[in-house]
Amino acid sequence: MTGSIETVSDRERFPEIFNSYIARGDVHLRTSTGNLRIRFMGYNNGQVAFKIPYIKSMPETALVFARIGEVTAYLELKSIEKQEDDVFVFSPIKLQLIHAARKEERTQPSGAHKTLLFVTNVTSDFLLFDDIRRE
């Protein structure tokens, strides 16, 4: 099923998808200035909650995504309310699962006898700074 897009309209599957993809993956909110890492708080009664730092108010709709293996889950959400401690509650509008292999080549480090390894271009400075600031 590589290269396919599955739009999930059966709301009975939502709990399974949230537990399989959103709860297990690194979840991000797409913003106008870049992607912001957020935390999944739970799904109940057709509503989903995320802890979203640094955001004071949410637009009417939001796009959230998480990647597990070769599957990226995209959620289009309607904002319902903001609760205490930066927790926002949403109602799912659209849920898509995109099955796609990574475009980047995976390589194994060669030369096991070497004691020093440099890895570059793995993450952006913005994501690194944001993760350190939150921790």
Side-chain angles (χ1 to χ4, degrees):
M1 221 153 78
T2 299
S4 67
I5 298 174
E6 177 185 1
T7 300
V8 180
S9 57
D10 181 8
R11 293 191 176 271
E12 304 250 339
R13 287 189 57 202
F14 281 14
E16 167 204 343
I17 291 169
F18 278 104
N19 290 328
S20 297
Y21 297 102
I22 307 302
R24 291 183 22 213
D26 287 336
V27 184
H28 292 87
L29 170 70
R30 179 139 315 149
T31 68
S32 60
T33 58
N35 299 328
L36 177 64
R37 189 170 178 194
I38 62 176
R39 196 167 97 209
F40 174 69
M41 301 300 288
Y43 177 79
N44 193 18
N45 295 329
Q47 296 180 346
V48 62
F50 293 98
K51 185 167 187 155
I52 305 174
Y54 318 118
I55 301 288
K56 301 278 188 242
S57 65
M58 189 64 58
E60 188 174 325
T61 60
L63 180 66
V64 170
F65 64 94
R67 183 173 177 97
I68 297 288
E70 293 185 355
V71 178
T72 304
Y74 284 94
L75 310 168
E76 185 178 348
L77 306 169
K78 180 181 182 213
S79 180
I80 295 176
E81 67 177 340
K82 179 181 180 183
Q83 297 178 345
E84 69 280 344
D85 298 327
D86 298 329
V87 175
F88 290 84
V89 178
F90 301 92
S91 175
I93 297 172
K94 185 177 184 181
L95 195 150
Q96 287 187 319
L97 301 175
I98 299 177
H99 303 268
R102 292 188 181 268
K103 294 177 185 169
E104 302 86 17
E105 180 182 334
R106 297 286 181 154
T107 60
Q108 295 293 326
S110 61
H113 63 280
K114 295 181 181 179
T115 59
L116 186 60
L117 174 70
F118 290 96
V119 179
T120 60
N121 297 327
V122 174
T123 187
S124 69
D125 293 342
F126 172 77
L127 288 176
L128 184 61
F129 177 76
D130 185 52
D131 284 345
I132 291 171
R133 182 176 61 195
R134 276 191 283 129
E135 293 298 324

